[in-house]
Amino acid sequence: SAVISQKPSRDICQRGTSLTIQCQVDSQVTMMFWYRQQPGQSLTLIATANQGSEATYESGFVIDKFPISRPNLTFSTLTVSNMSPEDSSIYLCSVAMIEGETQYFGPGTRLLVL
Amino acid sequence: AQTVTQSQPEMSVQEAETVTLSCTYDTSESDYYLFWYKQPPSRQMILVIRQEAYKQQNATENRFSVNFQKAAKSFSLKISDSQLGDAAMYFCAYRSAGGSQGNLIFGKGTKLSVKP
């Protein structure tokens, strides 16, 4: 499995601001994903980060709110834009070495919006 | 749409004993994967075990094993010789073998406590 790091590990932000979360993998991976875990809840897929093209968003998530970049096979960013307290969650990056294979998760970014 | 149900919000086990966590799922697909992930207080999601639906043999990983009943759409996790480090949230997850490769569908989780 790959070693996945996320920055920042946690942050406290004011409403109306934006935060960019970075996901770095120590080896090239085919698939990268972003999930959200709201307090006390399970994980929900936000989008699949596609290298060199627009991310593929799941129902209920839009690019204007959660812009995603993936410039290469080891790095991706998720921005949470115009934040509100409802965006307070843990955001997790996950990767799969090969399409269709097991996903491995990063340590997560804990976000609190005041 | 596929759904995953974990009917036990919390479970408790004595150290060194065995505990079984339940998971059922609903799907019309014949080919898929099932997973158990562990999330300790540190929040790092860790893969515990994986099962391919086409395999009849139940997956095992050291003290962790599953009871996969495809017809009943049941996928329980058995933890043997429980250790204090096993205390965590356990999530059951489903993924289609085709179509959108990324979409892991998670259950709501079971919080496991281990008593010394």
Side-chain angles (χ1 to χ4, degrees), chain A residues 9-10 37 90 92 106-110, chain B residues 37-46 83-91 110-114:
Chain A
S9 59
R10 58 177 60 220
Q37 186 178 23
I90 298 171
L92 298 107
T109 295
R110 184 185 292 266
Chain B
Y37 283 90
K38 167 185 176 182
Q39 189 178 41
S42 67
R43 292 293 171 179
Q44 175 87 51
M45 289 282 286
I46 302 166
Q83 301 176 359
L84 295 177
D86 294 333
M89 283 291 290
Y90 285 81
F91 292 97
T110 297
K111 183 178 181 180
L112 178 66
S113 302
V114 181

Side-chain angles (χ1 to χ4, degrees), chain B residues 18 29 44 52 57 63 72 83 86 94 103 111 115:
Chain B
T18 295
E29 299 174 335
Q44 175 87 51
E52 290 86 349
Q57 186 173 7
R63 298 183 294 108
Q83 301 176 359
D86 294 333
Y94 170 101
N103 200 358
K111 183 178 181 180
K115 297 179 180 178

Side-chain angles (χ1 to χ4, degrees), chain A residues 33 35 37 41-43 45 58 90 92 99-107 110, chain B residues 33 35 37 39 42-45 47 50 91 95 100-104 106-108:
Chain A
F33 311 96
Y35 286 82
Q37 186 178 23
Q41 302 297 314
S42 188
L43 282 75
L45 180 66
E58 297 299 309
I90 298 171
L92 298 107
E99 185 170 356
E101 288 298 307
T102 299
Q103 288 183 36
Y104 297 94
F105 286 82
R110 184 185 292 266
Chain B
Y33 300 91
F35 306 85
Y37 283 90
Q39 189 178 41
S42 67
R43 292 293 171 179
Q44 175 87 51
M45 289 282 286
L47 176 69
R50 158 189 164 130
F91 292 97
R95 181 171 63 75
S100 174
Q101 294 289 334
N103 200 358
L104 276 174
F106 286 87
K108 292 186 179 298

Side-chain angles (χ1 to χ4, degrees), chain A residues 31-99:
Chain A
M31 309 294 289
M32 296 184 78
F33 311 96
W34 288 98
Y35 286 82
R36 180 177 73 181
Q37 186 178 23
Q38 294 177 301
Q41 302 297 314
S42 188
L43 282 75
T44 302
L45 180 66
I46 297 172
T48 301
N50 300 309
Q51 186 203 358
S53 64
E54 189 173 293
T56 304
Y57 290 84
E58 297 299 309
S59 176
F61 298 96
V62 295
I63 187 171
D64 290 345
K65 176 66 175 177
F66 298 101
I68 289 171
S69 77
R70 190 181 172 192
N72 55 50
L73 293 176
T74 64
F75 185 78
S76 178
T77 66
L78 167 75
T79 299
V80 186
S81 302
N82 188 25
M83 289 183 285
S84 67
E86 291 71 33
D87 295 320
S88 298
S89 296
I90 298 171
Y91 292 86
L92 298 107
C93 169
S94 80
V95 305
M97 305 301 288
I98 303 172
E99 185 170 356

Side-chain angles (χ1 to χ4, degrees), chain B residues 57-96:
Chain B
Q57 186 173 7
N58 289 324
T60 64
E61 286 290 341
N62 300 314
R63 298 183 294 108
F64 299 88
S65 62
V66 299
N67 184 5
F68 173 48
Q69 301 289 329
K70 191 172 184 179
K73 297 179 183 176
S74 171
F75 183 61
S76 61
L77 175 70
K78 185 172 80 171
I79 306 174
S80 304
D81 185 26
S82 296
Q83 301 176 359
L84 295 177
D86 294 333
M89 283 291 290
Y90 285 81
F91 292 97
C92 178
Y94 170 101
R95 181 171 63 75
S96 299

